[in-house]
Amino acid sequence: MPFIITDPCIETKDTACVDVCPVDCIHPRKDEPEFAQATMLYIHPEECIDCGACVPACPVAAIYESIDATPSNQKDLIEANAVYRNGDAETMAKAEEIVKAHIDAHADLMAVPAAERQAAHARF
């Protein structure tokens, strides 16, 4: 599985990563109806070409280049990225359930502003 979007994206949904993606594998985009309801953005693992353009574009450092690089307290979000398929209500709901469970399980961390959340992972 390629790149993983993690919890600094929750409620941020900055689409700078979408703008630089050469294959449009990050969803939902602002022009997709699912954008307003989504808690965060997701990388479609089969569409991603592992170019890495999204990583430096993300203003909240929410994107990791692999499963192994993803911090252990965010591993549950790997599954959210793996199952999300834009336009498929069932998979979108499943991904959102995973994200909401992550939020509930890490309420202390989620209280940290998104731009500071990656660094805060070391404290929690």
Side-chain angles (χ1 to χ4, degrees):
M1 182 168 185
F3 293 77
I4 310 294
I5 296 180
T6 59
D7 70 27
C9 187
I10 294 173
E11 301 302 339
T12 302
K13 297 191 302 188
D14 185 293
T15 58
C17 58
V18 174
D19 296 339
V20 300
C21 180
V23 294
D24 293 326
C25 70
I26 303 171
H27 301 280
R29 295 184 312 264
K30 284 183 180 179
D31 64 345
E32 295 172 331
E34 297 84 4
F35 185 81
Q37 291 79 29
T39 307
M40 61 180 262
L41 302 178
Y42 302 88
I43 296 178
H44 189 298
E46 293 151 14
E47 294 175 352
C48 180
I49 60 170
D50 293 335
C51 72
C54 56
V55 176
C58 181
V60 294
I63 305 173
Y64 290 89
E65 69 277 357
S66 69
I67 290 171
D68 293 337
T70 304
S72 61
N73 59 353
Q74 295 197 64
K75 295 281 188 188
D76 51 341
L77 297 176
I78 293 168
E79 179 68 11
N81 282 266
V83 301
Y84 186 93
R85 298 294 180 269
N86 205 55
D88 180 335
E90 185 177 322
T91 64
M92 292 182 334
K94 182 172 180 166
E96 287 289 307
E97 285 176 23
I98 294 167
V99 171
K100 289 186 183 357
H102 178 84
I103 292 168
D104 292 343
H106 301 283
D108 51 350
L109 186 60
M110 298 312 296
V112 175
E116 302 166 24
R117 203 172 297 145
Q118 184 189 46
H121 278 277
R123 297 190 314 244
F124 291 96

